[in-house]
Amino acid sequence: VLIIPNTDFFIPDGFSPNGDGKNDLFVIKGLPVGVDNVFTVYNRWGNKVYSKSNYDNTWNGTANVNGTLGTEKLPPGTYYYILEFNGGDIKTANGFIVIQY
């Protein structure tokens, strides 16, 4: 059996949640359906600023972790993510995200 990987899987390296209707949400294209995942975002100091189990492409650049900047939009800058998959043979993905308003 030949398994062809999903070539539509794409994690962007930035977005602009400024309310103009374009790139306002961080959308991971081709996110595997039916596979549990955890999407975590860290600031440049390594502090967790966002975390979501079973990420559903709804992050709008706000923090949701206690002890961060509250629930306001994060400042523009570079953040780092880890996308972990639980189950299956999908490797953990990591990289950076630039938020620009």
Side-chain angles (χ1 to χ4, degrees):
V1 175
L2 176 64
I3 298 175
I4 300 172
N6 183 354
T7 57
D8 295 331
F9 183 68
F10 175 74
I11 302 175
D13 57 11
F15 73 122
S16 59
N18 57 7
D20 68 355
K22 298 176 184 173
N23 297 315
D24 286 334
L25 299 176
F26 187 73
V27 176
I28 300 173
K29 294 182 181 178
L31 193 61
V33 177
V35 178
D36 290 339
N37 67 64
V38 177
F39 180 64
T40 309
V41 180
Y42 300 88
N43 65 16
R44 63 182 173 176
W45 297 285
N47 300 320
K48 188 186 300 186
V49 295
Y50 180 84
S51 184
K52 175 130 174 87
S53 295
N54 296 318
Y55 184 65
D56 56 359
N57 291 327
T58 58
W59 184 41
N60 63 358
T62 57
N64 73 348
V65 176
N66 290 336
T68 57
L69 302 169
T71 58
E72 299 297 318
K73 289 197 182 253
L74 294 167
T78 303
Y79 295 83
Y80 302 90
Y81 71 85
I82 299 175
L83 177 59
E84 300 174 283
F85 295 96
N86 301 319
D89 294 333
I90 305 171
K91 292 183 181 179
T92 296
N94 60 61
F96 68 92
I97 303 166
V98 176
I99 296 178
Q100 186 66 45
Y101 297 103

